[in-house]
Amino acid sequence: SRTVAAVVASFLLYRHSVSPGGHLLSALTGSSRIMTEVRPTTNGAGVSLIATKSYSTGEIILEEDPLVVLAPTSPSEDEALRKQFQLSGGTQKTIADVELSPDVNADYGGKWRGMIVAAAVYAVRNAAGGAGAGEGNDEEKRKEFLELYHPDLSSPSTDEEKTIVGVARSARTFLVEKCVDGSHASKFARDHGEECLQVMLLWTCNSFEGGAVYGRTSRANHSCDPNAVVRDAAPALGAKSRRRQQLVAACPVSPGDEIFISYLGPLLYAGGPARLSRLRLAKHFACNCSRCAAPDKATAVPCPSCHPRINSRALDEDVQYDDDNDVRYAVPKNAATATVSVRGEACGEASKDAAILTLMNRVSEKVASRIVASEASKKKKAQAAAGKNGKKSKGKTRGGSAQDGDDDDDDDDSSLQSEMDENLLRLASSTLGARHWCTNLLLRSSLERQLSAIHAAMVLGGEPPSIDELAECIDSLQRLWSYADGLGLRMSSAHWLVGVTIGVSRALVGLGDEKSRSYGAEW
């Protein structure tokens, strides 16, 4: 129908184009016209990416190919990488299965293994005459790559930097001791130790999805209130490289403004403690951006003084859901103090109730861990699906029973995870209330699952969703928009909610009646 066409067209425009004031720069690459410059930061701690012209919301700031890709980019490279290591087979089939060194904290296990892969890939590609990029390798790119930010090996300046330098040294030791004697990775780690450590740290500090490191985009610093986003340069936009990406203005940017992106993924919409913890672990610094210094709206809870809890734990149901928007909230002074105190916005009373704060912190830690694990699982499944499709294209597997069994296991695991998420959502809602980030990030996941089930039934010719089902979805969506807009970020809440919003629109249009289709188009 025309309504469906309009919704889809709007979605594609949002995904690939810009606001009316913006324009596509599909013919331009980062090297042909760069309207940014790199300058030292105001505190002298590094460099920043600065706009040299104004950009409207949605306008492409720059587009570029990676300098290096520190991960295998083909089956042949993956095989070459395996040959570098003395893997024992059985349970240790890949680097991901290798037992973590005892001198590395388990929280850094993924980083440790990633560093090993990054340095080994770099060594293999260099031996083949490249600089590790996989696409257009040359010495100039190698030099530009090595000039990007990484902690000082001899004198790391913060505790976070000291920790990650120690992880890199452990990873280099593994390469020296566990690689096949005489292999490229072994020689690189043994004979070029400082560069090996440098590559590992450059990978952890600067790489994007798939191990890609970019000359300009990787210099964009983080903010919890970013003014730009990174996206793939889709083939429809004229990209010649499947790893080319674009830096796009998420709000108006003026000449001289520093360009900030988020390093947090979905945790951008989380509270201060979760953001700070993730950045320390994943990118090795303590954030002090303007949002982290301001009252932490994402960690708002019903004021303990204005709304006493049942047994110092559960909220009254009317307070929990706040349907009438009359609940009084308490917020932390800033991200750093969010775990120790909140202050009522209406009464002004500070609460340091140990029982309530301990409950808040424990639930928040559980939800943050769950969200990080969920994102990692999604990426792993996507990679596995891509690999499976590649094998299918080469030839059919005999019988197919093993694959079918894997799919059944995935379904069981998915059902278990969904049940865990729903239980966490009930816990977060009953203890933290409607405006807390835990409730809302879990609510978004729940809505995604609801919409997935509705769309699957519609595609298979099943019964359309009931009015009650759709009403619940719409109520969830309205709550999510209210939460996201209430954070006051510079970028549109649509960056977080476009998928579920289009999902609700599709479900409404699928009912077929004119009123539902019109309401769907409004969304």
Side-chain angles (χ1 to χ4, degrees), residues 53 81 101 128-129 161 183 277 335 343 508 515:
K53 66 177 286 290
L81 182 65
S101 174
E161 289 187 353
S183 65
S277 175
R343 182 177 294 276
L508 285 164
K515 188 175 181 180

Side-chain angles (χ1 to χ4, degrees), residues 442-460:
L442 290 169
L443 182 62
R444 180 178 178 272
S445 296
S446 178
L447 179 56
E448 284 181 331
R449 287 191 296 273
Q450 284 181 282
L451 292 171
S452 179
I454 288 171
H455 295 153
M458 293 170 68
V459 167
L460 295 173

Side-chain angles (χ1 to χ4, degrees), residues 217-229:
T217 311
S218 291
R219 292 189 183 276
N221 289 320
H222 165 84
S223 171
C224 295
D225 186 14
N227 57 5
V229 294

Side-chain angles (χ1 to χ4, degrees), residues 497-516:
L497 297 175
V498 62
V500 287
T501 304
I502 294 296
V504 168
S505 299
R506 287 178 60 196
L508 285 164
V509 170
L511 293 179
D513 63 280
E514 189 61 35
K515 188 175 181 180
S516 296

Side-chain angles (χ1 to χ4, degrees), residues 20 153 197 373 434 439 449 486:
L153 288 169
L197 292 171
T439 303
R449 287 191 296 273

Side-chain angles (χ1 to χ4, degrees), residues 54-72:
S54 61
Y55 294 95
S56 56
T57 303
E59 190 172 354
I60 297 172
I61 297 171
L62 64 86
E63 180 177 311
E64 63 178 339
D65 294 320
L67 291 172
V68 298
V69 180
L70 296 174

Side-chain angles (χ1 to χ4, degrees), residues 153-172:
L153 288 169
S154 58
S155 56
S157 59
T158 65
D159 289 341
E160 291 83 9
E161 289 187 353
K162 290 175 184 175
T163 298
I164 201 62
V165 168
V167 173
R169 293 190 186 282
S170 174
R172 176 181 171 256

